[in-house]
Amino acid sequence: MAYDTDNIFAKILRGEIPCDKVFENDYALAFRDINPQAPVHLLVIPKGPYEALDDFTEKATDAEIEGFFRAVGTVAREAGAVDAGYRFLANCGPDAHQEVSHFHVHIFAGRDLGGMIKRPD
Ligand code: 5GP
């Protein structure tokens, strides 16, 4: 599937809609989630046009991949989340309920985050 250049995170990257930015480098932008699920809920996105982890790791350059994942760690450290712990999560595709079709990593912290995954009903 072709990357949708009108997705909301592409618009944030182009500066067409605002975000509450916490970090930026050449390869990544991090900002607060608009609907936080934890006291700390940050999103880290690569600057290139990738839909999910699989095409990011298939198509991005080594510099993009390194710059992005180093940024994720930096964001977690700068959020003060390391000592108490945090969750790093990426929803990819329909079964994972990915809502925004631009690859992103969630960082959750600031409370006990509970079990790892929803169990079947
Ligand atoms: P997904 O389900 O795709 O992994 O998560 C998408 C996330 O993007 C959700 O947690 C949602 O609250 C967040 N989100 C959607 N639209 C916006 C927006 O315009 N600004 C910000 N900061 N977050 C958004």
Side-chain angles (χ1 to χ4, degrees):
M1 200 167 75
Y3 176 80
D4 171 17
T5 56
D6 281 335
N7 77 73
I8 201 90
F9 294 168
K11 291 179 179 177
I12 286 175
L13 282 169
R14 291 196 295 267
E16 293 169 9
I17 62 170
C19 72
D20 187 359
K21 181 167 78 174
V22 298
F23 178 88
E24 183 169 18
N25 69 8
D26 288 345
Y27 304 104
L29 175 68
F31 49 91
R32 295 183 203 287
D33 195 290
I34 205 167
N35 183 25
Q37 306 296 312
V40 175
H41 184 174
L42 305 173
L43 299 168
V44 191
I45 67 175
K47 290 195 167 174
Y50 306 105
E51 285 188 33
L53 177 70
D54 43 275
D55 71 324
F56 179 62
T57 53
E58 183 184 10
K59 298 170 188 162
T61 65
D62 289 353
E64 286 179 289
I65 292 170
E66 177 177 349
F68 175 74
F69 281 105
R70 286 196 187 280
V72 176
T74 299
V75 169
R77 286 192 300 276
E78 289 185 353
V82 171
D83 287 348
Y86 60 96
R87 181 162 293 151
F88 158 101
L89 179 146
N91 294 315
C92 299
D95 277 357
H97 294 241
Q98 181 178 2
E99 292 172 12
V100 180
S101 58
H102 181 108
F103 175 45
H104 53 282
V105 164
H106 297 254
I107 294 176
F108 302 99
R111 66 168 169 81
D112 184 326
L113 296 165
M116 185 169 69
I117 192 167
K118 182 176 185 286
R119 296 184 186 281
D121 294 326

